[in-house]
Amino acid sequence: MPNAAHNTAPNALHNTDFIQTTHAGSLPRTPALLAANAAQAENPGDTEAFERLLSDSVVGIVAQQLDAGLTIVNDGEYGHTMSNSVDYGAWWNYSYARLGGLTQGGVDRWQMTEQIRSEPGKIRLTTMRDRRDRVRFEEAYNDPNSFILTGRKAVPQPTITGPVTYIGQDLVRRDVTNLVGALEAQEATAGFLPALSPGSASRLANEYYKTDEELLFACADAMREEYKAIIDAGLTVQIDDPSIAENWDMINPEPTVEDYLAFTKLRVEALNHAIRGLPPEQIRFHLCWGSWHGPHTTDIPFKDLAETMLSINAGSYSFEAANVRHEHEWKVWRDLDLPEDKVIVPGVVSHATNVVEHPELVADRIERFAQIVGRERVIASTDCGLGGRVHPQIAWAKLEALTEGAKIATERLWG
């Protein structure tokens, strides 16, 4: 498989003669890094050895991705502290150290008993405990042997008690430096770093802002600093935003689609405000319905969100398309008008099952999208992050199936 650096095209995102491959961000942490994360939590003053281990670990994970055949790689989100080998929330929790205006402490989000925030009009965001999927399958969620939440550590969720600002300059600079250095060591150029969206950043208990709009745009102005730092380093920023889809399940009772899209529109406006003037080709938007291993029967259909997703000023769109709740929704793209300068990054292997996809199945999934939007505009990926969601051995087997499937699809699509 050629290196992505040689996959030049009129639009740098487009494929020329092969299917590019990537993933959705989080990769399994090494035992040494997990132990160091725990030690840092206990003694945050001892940083020199940790920073050296983190830098070396990023070099290793970049090399491992390239060896697996991936062409667009990242730092495995190693700069986002994971609390345990099972952790569904590091993509969000990392922001607690990068945003000012938060009072640390509180309770784990899955244990909150009071609603997060009342919204004006018909929309009201509820707690994780009261979300409709959890209410419908209460027995399964509460069973310690059900594997839905088994093994994860509780992570206290802070409260917004003052103006939200960005204080993570040193941390994002470290992440950028580590990834750029690792890419240079491997003579690779195609790298990305995930960052939290304003809509997801705002999903904290709020005791300061009077309106949802004020809070969202404060989060947008804060997170813009992180986006710019990543883009200015020549990397792609992946904006993680499960809130666009996942909020639907956190509104109880179920709203109308019309009301929900109006509620979501403000989150899109805040995100577009945050990325205004930034190069779209260096922005990847990631949409998912949440990474925990629940039934997901109350997910909003992709067809109801697709147009809203495309209104985000990104150059590429990453979304779940492999898990059994959403795989059938590839058909939605038959009725969508994907702008010529955009690409899609569908998940073709899933984080939601231990079953490793067969490469032929992966190729079939890639071809479905290629036949609709064109072979040059499909980058094969994972549904969501694999780190903290499946065992490391299984995660790497899935990535190998992904790259093998992309080779098969390349042969079929280019002959």
Side-chain angles (χ1 to χ4, degrees), residues 123-126 132 247-255 260:
I123 296 294
R124 187 172 72 176
L125 219 59
T126 188
R132 286 181 278 117
N247 279 347
W248 169 264
D249 182 48
M250 294 182 66
I251 299 167
N252 200 353
E254 181 180 310
Y260 182 73

Side-chain angles (χ1 to χ4, degrees), residues 335-355:
D335 301 317
L336 291 174
D337 183 16
L338 181 66
E340 286 295 326
D341 59 340
K342 311 292 185 182
V343 304
I344 60 173
V345 190
V348 291
V349 299
S350 177
H351 65 290
T353 177
N354 286 331
V355 177

Side-chain angles (χ1 to χ4, degrees), residues 124-395:
R124 187 172 72 176
L125 219 59
T126 188
T127 67
M128 293 287 194
R129 290 181 65 89
D130 295 324
R131 62 190 314 154
R132 286 181 278 117
D133 193 64
R134 182 158 182 164
V135 171
R136 179 177 293 183
F137 293 93
E138 182 177 9
E139 182 179 339
Y141 273 91
N142 291 335
D143 185 344
N145 298 312
S146 68
F147 301 105
I148 294 179
L149 298 175
T150 302
R152 67 177 294 273
K153 284 187 176 180
V155 177
Q157 190 174 46
T159 299
I160 298 170
T161 55
V164 173
T165 58
Y166 191 73
I167 60 173
Q169 289 85 356
D170 290 343
L171 293 173
V172 70
R173 188 180 305 116
R174 176 201 68 189
D175 292 348
V176 164
T177 299
N178 284 343
L179 180 56
V180 169
L183 289 170
E184 290 175 349
Q186 297 292 325
E187 298 184 349
T189 60
F192 72 99
L193 285 174
L196 192 66
S197 72
S200 290
S202 71
R203 294 193 306 178
L204 295 172
N206 167 37
E207 297 178 357
Y208 181 79
Y209 290 95
K210 293 181 179 179
T211 68
D212 204 31
E213 183 173 3
E214 289 177 3
L215 173 56
L216 280 163
F217 278 82
C219 290
D221 287 335
M223 291 307 300
R224 177 178 171 84
E225 289 197 45
E226 184 156 294
Y227 307 157
K228 282 188 87 287
I230 294 168
I231 287 173
D232 288 348
L235 301 168
T236 292
V237 59
Q238 175 179 290
I239 298 175
D240 288 335
D241 199 3
S243 74
I244 296 294
E246 190 188 354
N247 279 347
W248 169 264
D249 182 48
M250 294 182 66
I251 299 167
N252 200 353
E254 181 180 310
T256 65
V257 171
E258 181 181 28
D259 284 343
Y260 182 73
L261 292 182
F263 171 84
T264 302
K265 181 180 178 182
L266 187 59
R267 282 132 186 89
V268 171
E269 290 174 351
L271 175 53
N272 280 336
H273 172 75
I275 59 177
R276 67 192 184 280
L278 302 180
E281 64 273 14
Q282 286 179 257
I283 300 171
R284 180 201 292 181
F285 178 79
H286 175 62
L287 178 148
C288 77
W289 285 263
S291 58
W292 76 96
H293 298 345
H296 286 273
T297 60
T298 53
D299 287 357
I300 188 171
F302 182 59
K303 65 180 176 61
D304 293 328
L305 285 177
E307 291 286 359
T308 296
M309 182 186 74
L310 291 177
S311 71
I312 294 164
N313 297 327
S316 55
Y317 302 96
S318 163
F319 54 91
E320 292 188 64
N323 73 60
V324 294
R325 196 69 197 176
H326 295 283
E327 182 180 2
H328 68 286
E329 293 178 313
W330 63 270
K331 302 169 192 171
V332 170
W333 289 95
R334 292 170 174 167
D335 301 317
L336 291 174
D337 183 16
L338 181 66
E340 286 295 326
D341 59 340
K342 311 292 185 182
V343 304
I344 60 173
V345 190
V348 291
V349 299
S350 177
H351 65 290
T353 177
N354 286 331
V355 177
V356 177
E357 293 81 355
H358 195 285
E360 290 280 352
L361 173 62
V362 172
D364 290 346
R365 288 171 171 169
I366 294 169
E367 284 187 272
R368 289 174 187 166
F369 290 104
Q371 288 166 359
I372 297 172
V373 304
R375 63 188 183 182
E376 72 282 359
R377 295 201 287 167
V378 179
I379 298 174
S381 185
T382 61
D383 271 350
C384 200
L386 297 174
R389 283 103 187 217
V390 295
H391 189 277
Q393 188 176 23
I394 296 173

